[in-house]
Amino acid sequence: MQIPKQMYTGLSFNDLPLYMQNKILCKLSDACDIINLGQATPTLHVLSENRTLWKKLCQFHFSDKPFCRNLGLTRADNVDWKLMYFTLQKHYPMKEQYGDTLHFCKHCSILFWKDRHVALFLKDFGHPCTANDPDSCLMPISPQHFIDLFKF
């Protein structure tokens, strides 16, 4: 099997400075994505093993859980945050995060996309609700909840 040479001669992810690559990894909220990305190159492997990255991931997913509220306050340097993440994952559900969310308006009985980018710039939530307080009528719908709507 022959792999053709890359035709594009522009910059790649690996050409970015390490601090930028690290910032991008810190934006990922899925541990599997971080681990898979870490398998791509030796440099990404080192970045994917960063303790601060795993500590932030623990704080993002588990800081609101009763046992974990003080995770951010831990100053001990001997915590294996990657191990902590996978241990906590066994006991607590993951926090779901999506770029755009589906919402249900209880007042109008309408499903619609609430695009946060549109909401920031246009002051519109994707649905012109006639209720006095439209925000109180909105209920976010997770992908699983949306699929469950179609079960008989």
Side-chain angles (χ1 to χ4, degrees):
M1 174 184 233
Q2 278 190 323
I3 300 175
K5 288 189 174 185
Q6 186 177 1
M7 300 301 261
Y8 181 71
T9 59
L11 293 176
S12 71
F13 185 79
N14 291 331
D15 296 324
L16 293 172
L18 288 178
Y19 78 92
M20 290 180 79
Q21 290 181 34
N22 193 46
K23 282 195 169 287
I24 292 169
L25 259 72
C26 286
K27 296 294 181 185
L28 299 175
S29 62
D30 185 350
C32 291
D33 291 341
I34 293 170
I35 290 169
N36 289 333
L37 191 58
Q39 294 174 353
T41 67
T43 302
L44 288 173
H45 176 73
V46 170
L47 291 175
S48 72
E49 294 293 321
N50 182 318
R51 292 166 43 135
T52 305
L53 170 70
W54 288 98
K55 181 177 181 178
K56 287 179 182 179
L57 203 59
C58 285
Q59 291 170 339
F60 173 76
H61 284 288
F62 308 113
S63 62
D64 60 337
K65 307 300 184 253
F67 173 73
C68 307
R69 287 202 176 108
N70 295 327
L71 275 178
L73 302 176
T74 305
R75 299 214 186 271
D77 288 336
N78 59 352
V79 176
D80 182 343
W81 289 103
K82 186 175 178 182
L83 179 62
M84 174 74 79
Y85 175 85
F86 287 107
T87 302
L88 291 170
Q89 185 183 30
K90 291 177 186 177
H91 301 286
Y92 296 106
M94 302 297 296
K95 182 184 287 186
E96 293 181 0
Q97 179 184 10
Y98 307 100
D100 295 329
T101 55
L102 191 61
H103 280 72
F104 177 72
C105 178
K106 293 182 238 174
H107 178 75
C108 303
S109 297
I110 293 177
L111 277 173
F112 64 96
W113 289 104
K114 182 177 178 181
D115 184 340
R116 62 188 167 105
H117 301 294
V118 171
L120 288 174
F121 295 111
L122 300 179
K123 306 271 190 256
D124 183 8
F125 295 106
H127 164 60
C129 185
T130 58
N132 291 337
D133 184 14
D135 288 339
S136 66
C137 302
L138 301 183
M139 183 174 78
I141 305 292
S142 71
Q144 185 59 52
H145 186 195
F146 180 73
I147 291 169
D148 291 346
L149 292 174
F150 296 99
K151 290 183 178 176
F152 294 104

